[in-house]
Amino acid sequence: MEVTIDHKSGYCFGVEFAIQMAEEEMDDSGKLYCLGDIVHNDMEVKRLREKGLVVIDRDQLKDLSDCKVLIRAHGEPPATYKTAIENNIELIDASCPVVLKLQNRVKNAYDKTSSQEGQLVIYGKPGHAEVIGLTGQTGDNCIIVTGIEDLELVDFNQPVTLFSQTTKSTKGFYELKAEIERRIDEVHGEGAHETLFNANDSICRQVSNREPQMVKFSGEMDVIIFVSGKKSSNGKALYNVCLKNNSRSYFVENENEIDLSWINVGDKVGISGATSTPMWLMEQVKAYLEAHEKFAVLS
């Protein structure tokens, strides 16, 4: 059995930076509050909790004062910064630069569309931390769509401005864009979308480029063990890319969920993960497989 880790998978730079900032602060003070899970991976959250990271929610933030709180890579809405000022909380801001730039673009676009009686639409997952930060730039006065089926929420008699959560599918975004163009033209006449629609591809390319890499990697392996937290949207999306390209793809949170009957003697086994999957966890899965190689099924 040959086991290979896809070294192009794992943390994106935003998550890696946030964890680095958290660890540096805990090395100094021994304790740090974090607004929400720093990463959508329970194994990594557990490791950091043992080092002194205390995960809180927005309601708990309101009850804190005179302390330090980490803002994770997903970013936060303006209300969070307002609460921090009022409660004398020092924010350690690990917001991803790509997300911060998008927040600024969304705010500027919202101010412009409001003056033109237009609508701002965000392609994303309702309740997702990044989406909460983005909608906060509009005072929560925008439309969130998860796909074409949600376009019933949009009034195509008015101008439309579209943005995307940075971790959404590029394919999904452009399918949505094409359908919005079609519906605007249906209401206003052919070519009307050129003046009534402004589409902004705000997907992070470090994330979106994972898809073609996953297609390549999964095609080179007999079996794929995809390691990800169950709460990771990115993990679910990338796993489905693997599964579509390699039917012997399996989603696990850690090595304890591996069924050795999935693997035949002589298989090439690939280990990959989401942008929220730490490399140490993929290496742990690799070590487990190599230690249990003798239990692989004779094909």
Side-chain angles (χ1 to χ4, degrees), residues 111-161:
D111 292 343
K112 183 178 179 181
T113 56
S114 296
S115 66
Q116 298 174 347
E117 297 187 350
Q119 302 158 96
L120 194 139
V121 178
I122 294 175
Y123 171 46
K125 180 182 178 182
H128 188 280
E130 182 189 326
V131 174
I132 291 171
L134 294 176
T135 58
Q137 308 305 315
T138 72
D140 296 328
N141 189 25
C142 62
I143 300 167
I144 304 171
V145 298
T146 59
I148 289 173
E149 64 278 6
D150 292 328
L151 290 180
E152 301 304 320
L153 300 171
V154 180
D155 181 359
F156 292 101
N157 290 297
Q158 299 176 359
V160 177
T161 298

Side-chain angles (χ1 to χ4, degrees), residues 29-141:
S29 63
K31 180 181 179 179
L32 177 65
Y33 292 104
C34 179
L35 192 50
D37 286 344
I38 192 168
V39 63
H40 292 147
N41 187 283
D42 289 344
M43 300 285 288
E44 181 71 329
V45 170
K46 179 177 181 291
R47 182 185 75 84
L48 293 169
R49 186 186 299 122
E50 291 169 353
K51 295 190 72 170
L53 192 69
V54 180
V55 178
I56 59 169
D57 59 30
R58 290 183 182 84
D59 287 336
Q60 291 170 310
L61 179 72
K62 296 172 185 175
D63 296 328
L64 293 178
S65 61
D66 307 311
C67 61
K68 293 182 179 180
V69 175
L70 180 84
I71 291 181
R72 55 196 173 161
H74 304 83
E76 281 293 316
T80 296
Y81 295 88
K82 183 174 182 289
T83 299
I85 292 170
E86 292 170 348
N87 293 11
N88 194 36
I89 295 171
E90 179 183 341
L91 293 178
I92 298 173
D93 199 339
S95 300
C96 173
V98 175
V99 173
L100 286 177
K101 182 178 178 181
L102 176 55
Q103 287 186 351
N104 187 55
R105 291 176 67 193
V106 166
K107 179 165 192 328
N108 290 337
Y110 174 72
D111 292 343
K112 183 178 179 181
T113 56
S114 296
S115 66
Q116 298 174 347
E117 297 187 350
Q119 302 158 96
L120 194 139
V121 178
I122 294 175
Y123 171 46
K125 180 182 178 182
H128 188 280
E130 182 189 326
V131 174
I132 291 171
L134 294 176
T135 58
Q137 308 305 315
T138 72
D140 296 328
N141 189 25

